Amino acid sequence: MSCTFFYYVSVLAENLQLSTQKRLNEDVIDFDLLEDLICYIDENCPSGAVLVFLPGVAEIEMLIDRLSASVRFKGASSDWILPLHSMLSPTDQRKVFQSPPENIRKVILATDIAETSITIDDVVYVVDTGKHKENRYNPQKKMSSIVEDWISRANAKQRRGRAGRVRPGLCFCLYTHHRFEKLMRPFQVPEMLRMPLTELCLQIKSLHLGDIKSFLLKAVEPPKEEAISSAIDLLFK
């Protein structure tokens, strides 16, 4: 197995000669820093595809526009700045597995679909923004919404592992070592704690598993009783 070396954002800022006081705001994605880093990799690192993890489609399209307009990736190189997310057609998704012409670097801008669902063998460099988007359910408002949040340490390790599948790789983390060790959750919040429970309640009844609330409260990380009651009330209406 090839090894992966990784760098946190404070080291990146120093190596790229960036102003850390100006740049280091972990709460927002710094597209200037992202563009500088990708151009730095293209200019200074050996051949190999770059995989950039971004939270959503809007961020992917924004970075595609910025890179395509840059001096480094203009012309034929811009054809190999490739999006990768679940809304793409299978034909468009397949292009990320193709090899670019000589002297052109493939840059893949992906959501967390590339964490485990897809393996791209020629990826050597990973840039991890540390963010993703996930569904959250508010039982008081009875509404679901998509929110941007920090990934877990388990997600971060999965992303790091995408680099260097066939040879030693590099992962550049756009968050601090302190955030990774102290602030990130060990694992992602279970789906049962962030999604509506109505469908799950119906499955429990259809399988004759007993009282819904009692059954769900036996889970390792049970949902709040308020969320369970809200789902049951909604089904009775």
Side-chain angles (χ1 to χ4, degrees):
M1 179 182 292
S2 298
C3 57
T4 302
F5 301 93
F6 52 94
Y7 299 92
Y8 293 101
V9 68
S10 55
V11 178
L12 294 178
E14 181 180 346
N15 289 347
L16 295 175
Q17 298 181 338
L18 302 174
S19 169
T20 56
Q21 291 183 348
K22 177 182 177 183
R23 300 296 184 108
L24 292 186
N25 181 356
E26 291 183 287
D27 294 327
V28 297
I29 295 176
D30 191 329
F31 285 92
D32 289 334
L33 178 59
L34 268 175
E35 184 180 344
D36 288 346
L37 175 57
I38 295 167
C39 290
Y40 175 86
I41 294 170
D42 187 49
E43 183 176 355
N44 296 281
C45 297
S47 62
V50 181
L51 174 60
V52 184
F53 282 100
L54 291 158
V57 177
E59 292 80 7
I60 288 173
E61 292 177 347
M62 184 180 299
L63 189 54
I64 287 176
D65 290 341
R66 290 183 67 118
L67 291 174
S68 299
S70 69
V71 174
R72 191 89 199 160
F73 289 97
K74 67 180 180 180
S77 295
S78 65
D79 294 333
W80 289 92
I81 303 172
L82 306 174
L84 179 59
H85 50 80
S86 60
M87 295 172 62
L88 285 177
S89 67
T91 302
D92 291 333
Q93 287 189 12
R94 279 195 289 269
K95 189 173 181 181
V96 302
F97 300 102
Q98 299 174 10
S99 298
E102 191 176 355
N103 298 323
I104 290 182
R105 193 182 297 272
K106 181 169 63 177
V107 180
I108 304 161
L109 311 181
T111 60
D112 52 11
I113 188 177
E115 276 184 23
T116 55
S117 303
I118 295 174
T119 297
I120 305 163
D121 288 337
D122 60 346
V123 168
V124 178
Y125 308 99
V126 165
V127 178
D128 181 13
T129 62
K131 300 287 186 70
H132 68 169
K133 290 183 179 178
E134 60 183 12
N135 282 314
R136 296 281 177 86
Y137 180 68
N138 186 321
Q140 291 89 11
K141 297 181 179 179
K142 295 182 172 57
M143 291 179 60
S144 294
S145 60
I146 297 177
V147 299
E148 182 179 302
D149 197 7
W150 288 101
I151 59 174
S152 68
R153 290 200 297 273
N155 293 125
K157 291 175 182 177
Q158 283 282 0
R159 293 182 177 193
R160 190 182 301 168
R162 299 297 93 189
R165 303 289 289 180
V166 295
R167 70 181 199 229
L170 294 174
C171 178
F172 301 90
C173 306
L174 301 190
Y175 44 86
T176 61
H177 181 263
H178 174 75
R179 176 168 292 281
F180 176 77
E181 291 288 347
K182 304 297 184 182
L183 301 179
M184 284 182 173
R185 296 183 297 269
F187 300 97
Q188 188 176 2
V189 176
E191 187 174 356
M192 187 166 60
L193 301 183
R194 54 185 174 83
M195 296 292 288
L197 297 173
T198 49
E199 185 175 342
L200 183 57
C201 291
L202 289 173
Q203 290 177 351
I204 292 170
K205 294 305 287 184
S206 65
L207 294 172
H208 306 289
L209 297 175
D211 179 68
I212 293 173
K213 182 177 289 189
S214 301
F215 183 84
L216 289 176
L217 290 177
K218 293 177 183 177
V220 176
E221 294 187 56
K224 294 181 179 179
E225 291 191 40
E226 180 186 9
I228 300 174
S229 299
S230 175
I232 295 173
D233 291 343
L234 186 62
L235 289 172
F236 273 106
K237 288 182 179 179

Coordinates of all heavy atoms in Angstrom, one line a residue, residues 30 36-37 44 46 60 62 70 78 91 101 108 110 112-113 115 130 146 162 171 186 192 197 199 203 206 233:
D30 N -11.8 29.5 1.5 CA -11.0 30.6 0.9 C -10.6 30.1 -0.5 O -9.7 29.3 -0.7 CB -9.7 30.8 1.8 CG -8.9 32.0 1.3 OD1 -9.0 32.4 0.1 OD2 -8.3 32.6 2.2
D36 N -4.5 29.3 -5.4 CA -3.1 29.3 -5.2 C -2.5 27.9 -5.0 O -1.4 27.6 -5.6 CB -2.7 30.2 -4.1 CG -3.0 31.7 -4.4 OD1 -3.2 32.0 -5.5 OD2 -3.0 32.5 -3.4
L37 N -3.1 27.2 -4.2 CA -2.6 25.8 -3.9 C -2.6 24.9 -5.1 O -1.6 24.2 -5.3 CB -3.4 25.2 -2.7 CG -3.1 23.8 -2.3 CD1 -1.6 23.6 -2.0 CD2 -4.0 23.3 -1.2
N44 N 4.8 22.8 -9.3 CA 5.9 22.3 -8.5 C 6.0 20.8 -8.2 O 7.0 20.3 -7.9 CB 6.0 23.1 -7.2 CG 6.3 24.6 -7.3 OD1 7.4 25.0 -7.6 ND2 5.2 25.3 -7.2
P46 N 5.4 16.6 -9.1 CA 5.4 15.7 -10.2 C 4.0 15.4 -10.7 O 3.0 15.7 -10.1 CB 6.0 14.4 -9.6 CG 6.8 14.9 -8.4 CD 6.0 16.1 -7.9
I60 N -18.2 23.9 -6.3 CA -17.5 23.2 -7.5 C -17.5 24.1 -8.7 O -16.5 24.4 -9.3 CB -18.1 21.9 -7.8 CG1 -17.7 20.9 -6.7 CG2 -17.6 21.4 -9.2 CD1 -18.4 19.5 -6.8
M62 N -18.0 27.3 -8.8 CA -17.3 28.6 -8.6 C -15.8 28.4 -8.8 O -15.1 29.2 -9.4 CB -17.5 29.1 -7.2 CG -16.8 30.4 -6.9 SD -17.1 31.0 -5.2 CE -18.9 31.1 -5.2
S70 N -7.9 31.4 -15.0 CA -6.5 31.6 -14.5 C -5.5 31.4 -15.7 O -5.8 30.7 -16.6 CB -6.1 30.8 -13.3 OG -6.0 29.4 -13.8
S78 N -8.1 23.7 -19.3 CA -9.4 23.9 -18.7 C -10.4 22.8 -19.0 O -11.3 22.6 -18.2 CB -10.0 25.3 -19.2 OG -10.3 25.2 -20.6
T91 N -22.2 9.4 -18.1 CA -21.2 9.7 -19.1 C -20.2 10.8 -18.7 O -19.0 10.6 -18.9 CB -21.9 10.2 -20.4 OG1 -22.8 9.2 -20.8 CG2 -20.9 10.5 -21.5
P101 N -4.1 14.4 -21.8 CA -2.9 14.5 -22.7 C -1.6 14.8 -21.9 O -1.7 15.2 -20.8 CB -3.2 15.6 -23.7 CG -4.7 15.8 -23.6 CD -5.1 15.4 -22.2
I108 N -9.8 17.3 -10.4 CA -11.2 16.8 -10.2 C -11.7 17.5 -8.9 O -11.1 17.5 -7.9 CB -11.2 15.3 -9.9 CG1 -10.6 14.6 -11.1 CG2 -12.6 14.8 -9.7 CD1 -10.1 13.1 -10.8
A110 N -14.7 17.6 -6.4 CA -15.7 16.6 -6.1 C -16.4 16.9 -4.7 O -15.8 17.6 -3.9 CB -15.1 15.2 -6.0
D112 N -18.4 14.8 -1.4 CA -18.0 13.6 -0.7 C -18.4 12.3 -1.4 O -18.1 11.2 -0.9 CB -18.6 13.6 0.7 CG -20.1 13.8 0.8 OD1 -20.7 13.8 -0.3 OD2 -20.6 14.0 1.9
I113 N -18.9 12.4 -2.6 CA -19.2 11.1 -3.4 C -17.8 10.4 -3.7 O -17.8 9.2 -3.9 CB -19.9 11.5 -4.7 CG1 -20.3 10.2 -5.5 CG2 -19.0 12.3 -5.6 CD1 -21.1 10.5 -6.7
E115 N -15.4 10.1 -1.6 CA -14.7 9.6 -0.4 C -14.6 8.0 -0.5 O -13.6 7.5 -0.2 CB -15.5 10.0 0.8 CG -15.2 11.3 1.4 CD -15.9 11.6 2.7 OE1 -16.4 10.7 3.3 OE2 -16.1 12.8 3.0
G130 N -12.4 20.1 4.2 CA -12.9 19.8 5.5 C -14.4 20.0 5.7 O -14.9 19.9 6.8
I146 N -30.7 21.4 4.0 CA -29.3 21.0 3.8 C -28.4 22.0 4.4 O -28.5 23.2 4.1 CB -29.1 20.8 2.3 CG1 -29.9 19.7 1.7 CG2 -27.6 20.5 2.0 CD1 -29.8 19.5 0.2
R162 N -7.6 8.8 -0.4 CA -7.8 8.8 -1.8 C -6.5 9.1 -2.5 O -6.4 8.9 -3.7 CB -8.9 9.8 -2.2 CG -10.2 9.6 -1.6 CD -10.9 8.3 -2.1 NE -10.6 7.2 -1.2 CZ -10.9 6.0 -1.5 NH1 -11.5 5.7 -2.7 NH2 -10.7 5.0 -0.6
C171 N -1.7 14.9 0.8 CA -3.0 15.4 1.1 C -2.8 16.8 1.8 O -2.0 16.9 2.8 CB -3.8 14.5 2.0 SG -5.4 15.2 2.5
P186 N -15.5 12.3 16.1 CA -14.8 11.1 15.7 C -15.5 10.5 14.4 O -14.8 10.0 13.5 CB -15.0 10.2 16.9 CG -15.2 11.0 18.0 CD -16.0 12.2 17.5
M192 N -30.0 8.5 11.5 CA -31.2 8.4 12.3 C -31.4 9.7 13.1 O -32.5 10.0 13.5 CB -31.2 7.2 13.2 CG -32.5 6.9 14.0 SD -32.5 5.3 14.7 CE -31.1 5.3 15.8
L197 N -38.1 10.6 10.9 CA -38.2 9.3 11.4 C -39.5 8.6 10.9 O -39.7 7.4 11.3 CB -38.1 9.2 12.9 CG -36.8 9.7 13.5 CD1 -37.0 9.8 15.1 CD2 -35.7 8.8 13.2
E199 N -40.5 7.3 8.0 CA -40.4 6.1 7.3 C -39.9 4.9 8.1 O -40.3 3.8 8.0 CB -39.4 6.3 6.1 CG -39.3 5.1 5.2 CD -38.4 5.3 3.9 OE1 -38.2 6.5 3.6 OE2 -38.0 4.3 3.3
Q203 N -41.5 1.2 9.1 CA -40.8 0.0 9.0 C -40.9 -0.9 10.3 O -41.1 -2.1 10.2 CB -39.4 0.2 8.6 CG -39.2 0.7 7.1 CD -37.8 1.0 6.8 OE1 -36.9 1.0 7.7 NE2 -37.5 1.3 5.5
S206 N -44.4 -2.3 10.4 CA -44.6 -3.4 9.4 C -43.8 -4.7 9.8 O -44.3 -5.8 9.4 CB -44.2 -2.9 8.0 OG -42.8 -2.7 8.0
D233 N -46.8 11.5 15.7 CA -47.9 12.4 15.5 C -48.2 12.7 14.1 O -49.4 12.7 13.7 CB -47.6 13.7 16.3 CG -47.6 13.5 17.8 OD1 -48.1 12.5 18.3 OD2 -47.1 14.4 18.5

